[in-house]
Each structure stands twice: as C-alpha cells, then as structure tokens.
Amino acid sequence: MEKVNIGVIGVGRIGRLHARNLKYQVPGARVLAVADIFEKSAREVASQLEIPIAEKDYRILLENVDIDAVVICSSTDTHAQIISEAAEAGKHIFCEKPIALDLNKIDHAITAVKKAGVKLQVGFNRRFDPSFKKAKELVKNGTIGTPHLVRITSRDPEPPPISYIKVSGGIFLDMMIHDFDMARYLLDQEVVELMAVGSCLVDPAIGEAGDIDTAIVTLKYENGAWGTIDNSRKAVYGYDQRIEVFGSEGCVMVGNLRSTEVTVNGAQDTKSNKPLYFFIERYKQAYLDEMEEFIKCIKENKEPSVGGFDGKISVQMGYAAKESLTKGNFIKLVK
Amino acid sequence: MEKVNIGVIGVGRIGRLHARNLKYQVPGARVLAVADIFEKSAREVASQLEIPIAEKDYRILLENVDIDAVVICSSTDTHAQIISEAAEAGKHIFCEKPIALDLNKIDHAITAVKKAGVKLQVGFNRRFDPSFKKAKELVKNGTIGTPHLVRITSRDPEPPPISYIKVSGGIFLDMMIHDFDMARYLLDQEVVELMAVGSCLVDPAIGEAGDIDTAIVTLKYENGAWGTIDNSRKAVYGYDQRIEVFGSEGCVMVGNLRSTEVTVNGAQDTKSNKPLYFFIERYKQAYLDEMEEFIKCIKENKEPSVGGFDGKISVQMGYAAKESLTKGNFIKLVK
Amino acid sequence: MEKVNIGVIGVGRIGRLHARNLKYQVPGARVLAVADIFEKSAREVASQLEIPIAEKDYRILLENVDIDAVVICSSTDTHAQIISEAAEAGKHIFCEKPIALDLNKIDHAITAVKKAGVKLQVGFNRRFDPSFKKAKELVKNGTIGTPHLVRITSRDPEPPPISYIKVSGGIFLDMMIHDFDMARYLLDQEVVELMAVGSCLVDPAIGEAGDIDTAIVTLKYENGAWGTIDNSRKAVYGYDQRIEVFGSEGCVMVGNLRSTEVTVNGAQDTKSNKPLYFFIERYKQAYLDEMEEFIKCIKENKEPSVGGFDGKISVQMGYAAKESLTKGNFIKLVK
Amino acid sequence: MEKVNIGVIGVGRIGRLHARNLKYQVPGARVLAVADIFEKSAREVASQLEIPIAEKDYRILLENVDIDAVVICSSTDTHAQIISEAAEAGKHIFCEKPIALDLNKIDHAITAVKKAGVKLQVGFNRRFDPSFKKAKELVKNGTIGTPHLVRITSRDPEPPPISYIKVSGGIFLDMMIHDFDMARYLLDQEVVELMAVGSCLVDPAIGEAGDIDTAIVTLKYENGAWGTIDNSRKAVYGYDQRIEVFGSEGCVMVGNLRSTEVTVNGAQDTKSNKPLYFFIERYKQAYLDEMEEFIKCIKENKEPSVGGFDGKISVQMGYAAKESLTKGNFIKLVK
C-alpha cells in the first residue's frame, strides 16, 4: 500500500482540521472523499482542499472500494453506528472521542471492529502532545522512580453553548474524559476507584441545564498511587493544561504553552503571554501526530496505541464520576 | 513599653531560631531569658546569644515580673499547660503549632488566654511568607474574582525519624495542619467538610508506626469553593511548597524558591537549582516576620492575626481528615 | 488574480521548505514549477509535492507566462542575476538572503526590480517570528518608551562545513547579517556606525579558512541608541536566539523556544529542555509567515515589508564590520 | 583571638548595614566602636546597636588597642588616607570601593598595607552573591568548557543625585567599576584591552554634570575571550543585574531576583514580580557574606579573596574606559 486512501466523515471544525492535516502534512495519506449531512459543508471543504469526492451520505464512502480508512468526526451519537458499519465494510477507523455515551453501543462497536480485524484509533489527541508524551516516557523509563501522585489541571477558556451542554453527557463525559484518559496514559495503570465533587460556580445556566462546571476527582490507581484532576469550564487566562507526576525519585511537570516567548519588564510588574487560547492552538501538533500514527499503524499493520478499550474505559470513568457525585463516596471501577 | 521583654521556653532548633531573630533582628524585643528542660541547652543558647537568664524550669520565667511575653517552643504535649500558666501569669504568648493534640486542652488554654486578656499568637509561620501573603492579598482584593478552586502542594524533603512519627499525631495533625491553616487563610473562609485519602508509599516503617506518608484531602469551603491538598513525606528534590487559587477572573500561583538564580545551558538539557531544602531555609523570612507581628501586636495592643481559634480549627480539621480516612467518606466540620 | 502561480528556483533544504509551505499551507499560492541545476532534485521535489513542472534551467520558468512569481533559493552567487532576469520577465520575486556579496550586483538587481515594477521580498525570516514581531510591536507602540539599548544574542548550534565557510563571505555577511537586519527592524532606525571585534575560538580550521567564529559588534543608531550583537558558530545547547530592547519605560525580552514544556525536579537539580536545535525548527512559523506575506503583497499590490533596500543595508553593515575588525575602530555607514 | 573587635568608620547607609551585620549576624565579630564626622550619626548608630564607643574622629579608633580591624565606609576621597593610617596602626582593613580615584593614592595605600602586613579586603560585594559565586564556580570547574563570551548587564533603578554624579568620578569609576571587577572575577582572567561607548540618554542633567548615563564596554581577556558590559543609570523595572558566561561546553546565566514567587494569570497576560529594587535588597546576603569572609580571613590569617590589587585594577579599567570614550578606540591595560 503506497498511500492510505482516506474518507473523512463529518467536516465540522475538527473534521476539517483532520482533512487538512491528512491532505497536506501526512505524506502517507490521500484524502479521497469527505461526507457531511450538511452536503454544502462537504462540497465546500472538498473544493477548498481539492478533494475529489464530496457526499452527503457517509455510506457512499463506505461502499467506495478505493477508500482504505475513515476518520469519523460526526456528532457523538452517530459514532458507534458508523464504526460498526465501517468495520463491516472493512475500513480502518479513526474515531473522535467519545465512541458513544452508551456503554452497550461502545461494546457493539468494539465487537464489530474486532470481528472485522480492522484498526480502530480513538481521538485522545492529548496523548500525542510532545510535552505530555515526553512526560509519560520519563515516567516509564523510571526517571521519577515509583509514581505516588498524579495531578492534572484542565480548564477550558470558556464554556460551550448551553445547547451543547445539554447533549454533552455532562462535564465528566464531555470534558474530564480527556483527563481520565491522560491519568491512565501517564502511569500505564488502571484506576480502580474514584471520587468526584463539584458544583456550578461559573454560570448558573449550566446548572439549570443539569450539569456542573467545576469539578475535582480523586483517583486511586491499581498500584496504589493517587491522583487528582480538576476541571473548570472557564479560565479567563486561556486553556490551562498542566500535569504533574510525583514519584519516589522526582517529579515531572508539564506547564502551559504560550504564543510567544516575549517578556516585558515594566515599572509595575513583569508581563508575559498568557497560555494558548484553546485546543485547536494548544494541540496543533498533537492533532497532526495522531493522524501520522493512524496512517503508520495501517501501513505497518500495527495496533494503534489508543483504541477501543481506552475509549470504553474513559466513558466508564465518566459514569463512575457521575455516580460518585450523586452518592458522595468512592465508586469502584469494574473491569 | 519601649521594648518587649521576652522569655523563650524550649530552645531546640525552632526555639533557638526565634531567640536569635528576636535578639538580633526585631528591634522592639529584648530576650531576657530562656528555659529548657535540658538545662545545658538553655545555658548554651544564653551564652551564645548573650541572654542574661537561663533556667531549667519555665515557671521561673513566668514568675519574673520583667518578662512581658513568652515564646513557647517546647514539645507539643506541654504547650497547652504552659499557655494556661503563662496566661495566668499575665504574659503574652506566642506558641508553636499545634496548641495540643487534645481539643479539650486547646479549649482550656484558649479560655485561660481569654480570661487573662493576654495575646496569643500561634506559630503558623507560612502565613507570613512574603509570597503567600502577597497571594492572599491578591485574592482578598479581588484580583482573581470569586475563588473557585484552591490547590496546595506540600511535600517534605524527607520524613522525620520513626520515633517522632509515633508521637506526632499522624500526617494530618503534624504535617497537613499547616496546609489546613493555609487553606483557610488564603480564602478567609472556613472549610465545611473534607475528605481524605492516603496510604504508605514512601517508607513501610511509617505504616508500621501506624501512620501514612502520602495523602490527598479534598475540601469544601462554606462559600462553595473547592480545594485539594496533597502531602508527601518525601520529595527528593526538596521542600515543595506551592499554592494556587483559581477564580472567576484569573489564577494566582506561588512557586518554589531556589537558593540561586543560576541556569546552566548544557548539551543535554537546561539545569537550574532545586527548591530550597526545608522549612528553616524556605520560611526564613516568615519566621522573622511572625515575630515582628507578635511584638507589634503587644506594643500596639492589637489582636494577632493568627490566634487560638485558628490553632483549634486546624486541629479539628486534622481529626476530621483522620476520621475521613477511616470511614471513606466526607466528614462535616462542626463549628 | 485568484491564486498566485509560483516557480521555486533552487530546491535545496530551504527551497523545499518554501515549496512545501506554499503548496500546502498558503491558500493563495499555487506552486506550478520548480527548477534546480541538479535536475534530479527538481524532479524529486516535483514528484513528492505533486508539482506539474520540474526543470533544470530556471529560465524556462521565467519564460512561462503562467508563472506570476519566483522564489529564489539557489546559491548566493546566482541571486542577483536571477533577480534581474526575473524582474525583466515581469515576475514578482522572493529571494533568500543575501541578494549578493557584491554591492554593485545588489544595486543592479534592485534597479532591475524598480524598473520592472515587480515586488521583491528578501528572506529575512526572523522578522516574521511571532515573538520578535511582537517585541517589535511593543517597541513601536511605546511600551518601553524611548529605546536606549539593544542586545542581540545569536549563536548557531554548530558551524557549517569548512567548504561552506570558504565561500560564505565570512561570519558578518553569512551569519550576523540576520542580526544586522534584526537590529534595524527592532527600532525602525538605521545604524550610523559600528565596531566589530572577534576571533577564532571554536575551531582553528575556521581561522585557517580565513574566517572567525566568535564576534561582538557594537552599534550606534541614528537616534542615539546603542546596540550589541554577539555571535558564536557553536553553542552546544542549541540555537540561541535572544533579543532585548531596553528603554526609558521598560525592557522587552525574547527568550529561546523549547521543544516541550517538560520540567523534571530531581535530587540534583531541575531540568528542562534545551532550546530548539536550529533555524528549521526555531523559525518554522516564520518561514511560513514570510511566504504568506509575499503572496499577500502580490495579491493586494502592496510593497513587501522587507525588500531590496534592507537586503543591501545588511550587506553594507557586514562589510563595515569586516573593515572594523581589520582596522580596530568604528566604521561609519554611508547612506 | 576569640572575637575580632571592629571599628566602623563612616556610618552612612552602607556603614550602618555593615555595623548591623557584624553586630548581629557575624558571630566571630564584636563591634566595639563607630566613628563619623557627623558625630550625631555615630552616637545614634551606637545607641541603636548598643555599641560602646562613638567618636567623631576615626583616629581615636585607630589608637584604641582593643580594636583589631576597621571597616571603612566614609566618603571615597578619605579611603586611601584612612587605609594608610589604619595599616600603620596595625589594624586589618575592610574598605568600601573604590580605594581612591587617584591611582597614586591607591598605590600608597596598598604599600602601607603590605608594609604593615595587615589584611585588606575591598568591598566588591557582588563577588559574594550566592548566584554569582555559584556561576563562577561552574566556570572554574569546567562545566561550560573554555569561556568564549561574557555578558554583564548592570542597570540601576534610578540615577543618584546630580550633586553625587559630580563627585562620583563618572559612570565608569562609580558604577561600572563593579562590573569590571565581576568581569575579572568570573573568568579569573585579566582584561588586556577595552573599548567604551556611551552617551547621555536618561537625563540631560547628567550630561550637563559632565557624565554619561548609558554605556557599553567591550572587553578582551588575556586568554582571548571577549566580554560586553552594559550600564544604564535608570531601569524603571528595578535593579537589573544579570550575567552570562558562554563557553565551548555550555552557558551559565544568572537572572534577577524577585521579592516573591507569585504569578498571576489574568485575562490579559501573566504577571510576576519585577526584580528587587536596588543593591541593599539585591545584595543583602552578599553584604553579610563579605563580612563573614573578612572576619574569617583575620581569624585564620588568610588573604582576603578580593584585595588591594583588585581594587586598583578596577579603577585602572575605569580610567581606560574614560580614555576610550574620548578617543573612540580600544585602550590597552598596562600591567
């Protein structure tokens, strides 16, 4: 296989980003087609990026024998169904997170993938961020000894629209799901129980929509280490994405990225840039690197480093956090 | 009152430090006497610092009409009793934390102080650290808006001897007590409930002594904000003392202090100094500033900013954390 | 003009980089052709980047009426000649620095450009670096008041091959030329005189080739401000690119960029990443942004912000530095 | 000798600081007397610090057989004379910089010291700063290989009064003298020639007083390394004291110190503290450490690490810089 022929399903913001990356920056890929229920969007993206095929119905892409793989960026409620169909059509699959909010649907999708023997990579982009990746390597190679504590801070610069909040599955399944995955990734360890607290401090409308906007989750890992994750839907200073792994021989920390390295020494104080605005800016490289990994796995017939199992576990953790918030105590995670 | 005449009771490491600071760097104070059950220590310190009186029995200091105030640095189990006696003798009191591990004893001591109308300042030195003080001021003046999240990291460079662990009251009453006080101080808010987790990850001998060495406590404040504190008895890189208050309009952070501002750019990486070793180095200025405050309160007849009530609450929080660790759920703090 | 059709002349490392950027990341450009005296290289790049035309002789590109503009990345000694021919052919021109090492040739090229009325942008990529650009804006908008001192540190991670050193024109014309341009750019001020010192400290072979590898130049600006530039051909810790403008109301500094934001707190010290390796990594964004500016200037019929005059002045400064090094005193720059 | 008995001559700001440090923080010293031509000042300081003797005439201190050493902090024009007399009286001597502005007077003073066999330490306090000291050690132990470039930035937060400027000897002898000493100290190498530029950019009144307020000096070391020093009399953001030594194996840098480690992440930018205000704050530890060294040298009969020779060379460098500024070329330093 010289080039992997790709169809991108769903060309909203993140779908366009993947299409553009695959088209221009991943030499092993060829974007053959895009599909979107808003046909106009599909045509527009195809025209801009000089992609031959634009369809309203993704099934046409699945029927296209030239297409080797699909990148699923449609709305969350369609992911599981498309995964199953794509697997049956023998296509390799990259799917944005979460696979589904319904664990049964996730299981069906995973089963379909296994049966078909295709690749499935789930869009936990942060694993591909060079800084987090380096941090994980340092943990893995023993630089900080045995890990004892993990701290993850993850705060968005502003909340999504209330209409989105309502269908998002809530802060734990929509936002903290990335941090649950990061927590597992950093230590290569499963979380055995967790405890969530939180409330609505940013915007009462979020509370009225049945969600919270501020949360802290405490984790216990299978090897005895502890972790905390804190989330806020609104950090006025930008996307706050920091991690820390503390162990018997040291501590590895990842700080925020800034748009410039400019510092101004003034009569009042010393000023520097605030952190990058949001995920598109912060994880620019990670979005590219995850696509390169996906194409590489197909070409070299390797398993993606982040697959269906990871997609499922993170959703389970989200539900456990929701349950913990209601019950007020630790919730064990069943394997 | 031109100079406040001081007697220092207990001249171990911290007692000597206070005596030296009072003698040489607090112009409003005059150290008239020291007492220590190890009479030799008392004589040694008196000789070194040219202090006129050295006694074995602190009661002699309390009987000395020239002495206006005492600084109590004896072992924890003697604090409450000495406070009561000193109050009855009409002496103003600075007492190292904790006042006692027994809440009844704390109450008795506080009652004695109130009855006598003397000042009582408790040794929560970190409140006087210039960086933490500045952070608190920024929170108070609204720089970060309404506080939503507090994060406190507090890790010692190495555990105390096991013999000390055994009588320390445990990690929550001995070590995290400082962080409980810091948590209250930063927001000027009481904590209404808390939840503790932790285990013995640093040294099994600590577990055998009935204590843990790694802990995370989640706090809920009366105004709805949330907090987390993490403790470890051993950070190989030095005393790790960081705080963060996140609010609706920003986030204030305090990082660690280093011994020099030297950076080395080498072929492998960029190296800088690790954090200061331990509390003596890290809180050098704070130890001095708390004494200046104490003397100032006496001279200007003001209430110390950190007194008996703070001393009691922090111990109550320690007990709540111990209970939470056992029961596995949130513990409400009774007012 | 919907898209600007581009021919890239010379597809060594930097030519390929521009071709790739123009092809994939500059929506307003279309790369129609590449030329290289090594025809195989031209074909290879054309094939990789799916560019229709690959030629050995750049004149074929100049004769192609579909081509609107050329990007000249051939060897320095060919720049001036190609500029003149391209201008006569009515092509807009982007040319890598320096235009030529011979000032007469530069004048001829500039004259040809003026006569033809085409655009000429010179490849001083650093002006487009987001950090330096921001610094310049802060200087321009008066944030630091009246500039008094400029400090530029510019050190390569390793020297070029001796064969290159021999034809490079020497450190001032090959390496410091970028810093001369930066010095002018930061203040929007000309340098009226300069003084150079330097010697061969890195590698005796550089000295044997008639060049130096370590140099400091002191600058006097027309408005009375002073500047220093230091260069070294070898900084083992990576590409060291820092600037500082100090003025009556403050100081703006730009530090180095690193590949990750990882910090490791260890028992010995605190480690972080070294600076990015070299110009390809450090100025990745700048290389893209300068191409976007070039295309924008053509489409909107604007003068490039960095043109033939800047290309000439920087070479004049290089010769003045060479003369100063020989004579041991300040050399005035003639206008 | 159990304690070294000290007389402090001149109790302006710096004299008081030394007296206080010696009295309270240097265990090996005893301050027996102070002298000041403003007798009232002498009495005031003696009273505050409980020093037994206060005189108008320093000669009374020199005649006092109990006094082992003097600390000379009187006005610069009196230093050399007092050194000579003190030496003849057999007193060890600490003298603030410069020894004199007249090289003959310096020679006389040094000769007197040698003849008497007493210790002479000159007040180049910056050598004792923990960060600069560490940097020098790293250079000395080869961490950065062979030094190639030294960069010293030294900017005051505000200019002294014009009345002081007039008698100061000018920026090179009054201000940059510290940097000349630092340049020699960092490499343990002499400077063989130097070149100065500068002008009056901060305040025209300084120019009218015959001085400049902004200067850059380029240095050549005897081992071939190069250095630059930049000075400004006014940095609105505080005392800017940075150094950098670049060598074949790396680069050691020292940054500024700040009063707190507080960072505020706000909606506009990230703010941190500006550098410490001025020398009293910035070199607090250095002032103490230089006194400890002085006392130690007396008690252990060792030569001070910074003596009369260093005091002379730095003045010679100041005169060379003045000459260079006038002549516009490099000035060789005679040994």
Side-chain angles (χ1 to χ4, degrees), chain C residues 146-219:
Chain C
T146 306
H148 293 174
L149 291 167
V150 172
R151 300 197 70 166
I152 298 174
T153 287
S154 180
R155 301 168 190 157
D156 285 353
E158 49 183 346
I162 296 300
S163 58
Y164 176 83
I165 292 274
K166 286 177 181 166
V167 299
S168 69
I171 194 168
F172 297 118
L173 284 159
D174 177 56
M175 183 174 169
M176 203 181 277
I177 190 171
H178 275 292
D179 307 302
F180 290 140
D181 186 64
M182 181 55 62
R184 296 175 61 242
Y185 169 69
L186 285 170
L187 296 203
D188 269 337
Q189 288 280 331
E190 294 302 334
V191 169
V192 291
E193 52 180 354
L194 58 76
M195 161 97 199
V197 298
S199 52
C200 186
L201 301 175
V202 170
D203 183 357
I206 292 172
E208 287 157 21
D211 201 1
I212 58 174
D213 50 35
T214 306
I216 297 175
V217 167
T218 304
L219 312 167

Side-chain angles (χ1 to χ4, degrees), chain C residues 151 153 155 230 242 244, chain D residues 151 153 155 230 242 244:
Chain C
R151 300 197 70 166
T153 287
R155 301 168 190 157
D230 75 79
R242 286 171 290 148
E244 177 177 331
Chain D
R151 299 198 73 166
T153 286
R155 301 170 191 156
D230 76 78
R242 287 171 289 147
E244 178 177 331

Side-chain angles (χ1 to χ4, degrees), chain C residues 276-291:
Chain C
L276 289 171
Y277 174 63
F278 214 166
F279 56 93
I280 296 291
E281 296 81 18
R282 173 63 184 84
Y283 293 117
K284 188 180 171 187
Q285 188 65 40
Y287 283 119
L288 179 57
D289 290 356
E290 70 175 358
M291 277 301 139

Side-chain angles (χ1 to χ4, degrees), chain C residues 8-290:
Chain C
V8 177
I9 298 168
V11 289
R13 185 159 57 164
I14 210 75
R16 282 175 205 221
L17 189 150
H18 286 316
R20 175 175 290 277
N21 277 344
L22 286 163
K23 171 81 185 181
Y24 293 141
Q25 304 208 58
V26 183
R30 181 186 294 121
V31 187
L32 220 61
V34 292
D36 200 290
I37 49 166
F38 299 102
E39 198 175 352
K40 203 184 145 199
S41 293
R43 287 194 194 287
E44 199 181 287
V45 171
S47 159
Q48 268 176 11
L49 302 180
E50 300 177 14
I51 295 167
I53 304 165
E55 299 290 347
K56 183 183 169 71
D57 188 350
Y58 68 86
R59 289 183 182 88
I60 299 171
L61 273 55
L62 299 185
E63 287 161 10
N64 186 328
V65 292
D66 291 338
I67 288 179
D68 305 304
V70 291
V71 171
I72 305 172
C73 307
S74 51
S75 64
T76 294
D77 59 314
T78 67
H79 289 178
Q81 175 66 20
I82 302 178
I83 288 174
S84 297
E85 291 181 40
E88 281 160 33
K91 310 301 188 199
H92 299 296
I93 301 154
F94 177 96
C95 183
E96 275 304 320
K97 65 92 224 173
I99 296 176
L101 295 180
D102 179 329
L103 285 164
N104 286 327
K105 286 188 181 169
I106 295 177
D107 282 336
H108 280 127
I110 292 176
T111 305
V113 165
K114 278 196 184 148
K115 200 172 152 192
V118 296
K119 313 290 177 203
L120 170 61
Q121 183 174 329
V122 176
F124 284 120
N125 56 303
R126 295 185 195 173
R127 289 187 178 218
F128 297 88
D129 172 69
S131 292
F132 294 149
K133 205 170 176 181
K134 176 81 184 167
K136 192 248 171 72
E137 283 166 20
L138 289 165
V139 172
K140 198 165 191 175
N141 72 20
T143 299
I144 59 147
T146 306
H148 293 174
L149 291 167
V150 172
R151 300 197 70 166
I152 298 174
T153 287
S154 180
R155 301 168 190 157
D156 285 353
E158 49 183 346
I162 296 300
S163 58
Y164 176 83
I165 292 274
K166 286 177 181 166
V167 299
S168 69
I171 194 168
F172 297 118
L173 284 159
D174 177 56
M175 183 174 169
M176 203 181 277
I177 190 171
H178 275 292
D179 307 302
F180 290 140
D181 186 64
M182 181 55 62
R184 296 175 61 242
Y185 169 69
L186 285 170
L187 296 203
D188 269 337
Q189 288 280 331
E190 294 302 334
V191 169
V192 291
E193 52 180 354
L194 58 76
M195 161 97 199
V197 298
S199 52
C200 186
L201 301 175
V202 170
D203 183 357
I206 292 172
E208 287 157 21
D211 201 1
I212 58 174
D213 50 35
T214 306
I216 297 175
V217 167
T218 304
L219 312 167
K220 185 175 188 178
Y221 286 91
E222 54 184 330
N223 68 345
W226 298 96
T228 62
I229 299 168
D230 75 79
N231 274 187
S232 171
R233 284 285 194 185
K234 187 175 180 185
V236 296
Y237 52 90
Y239 197 37
D240 192 350
Q241 298 280 293
R242 286 171 290 148
I243 61 148
E244 177 177 331
V245 185
F246 168 80
S248 58
E249 304 300 329
C251 186
V252 58
M253 299 176 184
V254 178
N256 287 312
L257 275 68
R258 308 182 299 163
S259 60
T260 75
E261 287 301 318
V262 176
T263 301
V264 179
N265 293 273
Q268 301 309 316
D269 40 36
T270 304
K271 287 180 189 167
S272 55
N273 273 104
K274 53 185 189 168
L276 289 171
Y277 174 63
F278 214 166
F279 56 93
I280 296 291
E281 296 81 18
R282 173 63 184 84
Y283 293 117
K284 188 180 171 187
Q285 188 65 40
Y287 283 119
L288 179 57
D289 290 356
E290 70 175 358

Side-chain angles (χ1 to χ4, degrees), chain B residues 137-195:
Chain B
E137 282 167 21
L138 290 165
V139 172
K140 199 165 189 174
N141 73 18
T143 299
I144 59 147
T146 306
H148 292 175
L149 291 167
V150 172
R151 299 197 71 163
I152 299 173
T153 287
S154 180
R155 300 169 192 158
D156 286 354
E158 50 182 347
I162 296 299
S163 58
Y164 176 82
I165 292 273
K166 284 177 181 166
V167 299
S168 69
I171 195 168
F172 298 116
L173 285 160
D174 178 57
M175 183 175 170
M176 201 180 279
I177 190 170
H178 275 293
D179 307 303
F180 290 140
D181 187 62
M182 182 54 64
R184 294 175 61 241
Y185 169 70
L186 285 170
L187 296 203
D188 269 337
Q189 287 280 332
E190 294 302 333
V191 169
V192 291
E193 51 180 355
L194 59 75
M195 161 98 199

Side-chain angles (χ1 to χ4, degrees), chain A residues 6-307:
Chain A
I6 302 282
V8 177
I9 298 169
V11 288
R13 185 160 57 164
I14 210 75
R16 281 173 205 223
L17 188 151
H18 286 315
R20 176 174 290 275
N21 277 345
L22 286 163
K23 171 80 185 182
Y24 292 142
Q25 305 208 59
V26 182
R30 180 186 295 121
V31 187
L32 220 61
V34 292
D36 199 292
I37 48 166
F38 297 102
E39 198 174 352
K40 204 183 145 199
S41 293
R43 287 194 195 287
E44 199 180 286
V45 171
S47 159
Q48 269 177 9
L49 303 180
E50 299 178 15
I51 295 166
I53 303 166
E55 299 290 347
K56 182 184 168 70
D57 188 352
Y58 68 87
R59 288 185 182 88
I60 298 171
L61 272 58
L62 300 186
E63 286 160 11
N64 185 330
V65 291
D66 290 338
I67 290 178
D68 303 305
V70 290
V71 171
I72 304 172
C73 307
S74 51
S75 64
T76 295
D77 59 313
T78 66
H79 289 177
Q81 175 65 22
I82 302 178
I83 288 174
S84 296
E85 291 180 41
E88 279 160 33
K91 311 300 188 197
H92 298 296
I93 301 154
F94 176 95
C95 183
E96 275 304 320
K97 65 93 222 172
I99 298 177
L101 296 179
D102 178 329
L103 286 163
N104 286 326
K105 287 186 180 171
I106 297 177
D107 281 337
H108 280 126
I110 293 177
T111 305
V113 165
K114 279 195 183 149
K115 202 171 150 193
V118 296
K119 313 291 179 203
L120 170 63
Q121 183 173 331
V122 176
F124 283 120
N125 56 303
R126 296 185 195 172
R127 289 187 178 219
F128 296 88
D129 172 70
S131 292
F132 293 149
K133 206 170 174 179
K134 176 80 181 166
K136 191 250 171 70
E137 282 166 22
L138 290 166
V139 172
K140 199 165 190 174
N141 73 18
T143 299
I144 60 146
T146 307
H148 293 173
L149 291 167
V150 172
R151 299 197 72 164
I152 299 173
T153 287
S154 181
R155 300 170 192 158
D156 286 354
E158 50 183 346
I162 297 299
S163 58
Y164 176 82
I165 292 273
K166 284 178 182 167
V167 300
S168 69
I171 195 169
F172 298 117
L173 285 160
D174 177 58
M175 183 175 170
M176 201 180 278
I177 190 170
H178 275 293
D179 306 302
F180 290 140
D181 187 63
M182 182 53 63
R184 296 175 60 241
Y185 170 70
L186 286 169
L187 296 203
D188 269 337
Q189 287 280 332
E190 294 302 335
V191 169
V192 290
E193 51 180 356
L194 59 75
M195 160 97 200
V197 298
S199 52
C200 185
L201 301 176
V202 170
D203 183 355
I206 293 172
E208 286 158 22
D211 202 0
I212 58 174
D213 52 35
T214 305
I216 297 174
V217 167
T218 305
L219 311 167
K220 185 175 188 178
Y221 286 91
E222 54 184 331
N223 68 345
W226 298 95
T228 62
I229 299 168
D230 75 79
N231 274 188
S232 170
R233 284 286 193 185
K234 186 172 182 188
V236 297
Y237 52 91
Y239 197 37
D240 192 350
Q241 299 280 293
R242 287 171 290 148
I243 61 148
E244 178 177 331
V245 186
F246 168 80
S248 58
E249 303 301 329
C251 186
V252 58
M253 298 177 187
V254 178
N256 287 312
L257 276 67
R258 307 183 300 163
S259 60
T260 75
E261 287 301 318
V262 176
T263 300
V264 179
N265 292 273
Q268 302 308 317
D269 39 37
T270 304
K271 287 180 189 166
S272 55
N273 272 104
K274 52 184 189 169
L276 290 171
Y277 174 62
F278 214 167
F279 56 96
I280 296 291
E281 296 82 18
R282 173 63 183 84
Y283 293 117
K284 189 180 170 186
Q285 189 65 40
Y287 282 119
L288 179 57
D289 290 356
E290 70 176 357
M291 278 301 138
E292 277 179 350
E293 158 107 345
F294 179 54
I295 298 305
K296 198 180 171 196
C297 286
I298 294 170
K299 294 184 85 164
E300 301 179 3
N301 193 24
K302 294 196 314 178
E303 267 315 288
S305 64
V306 50

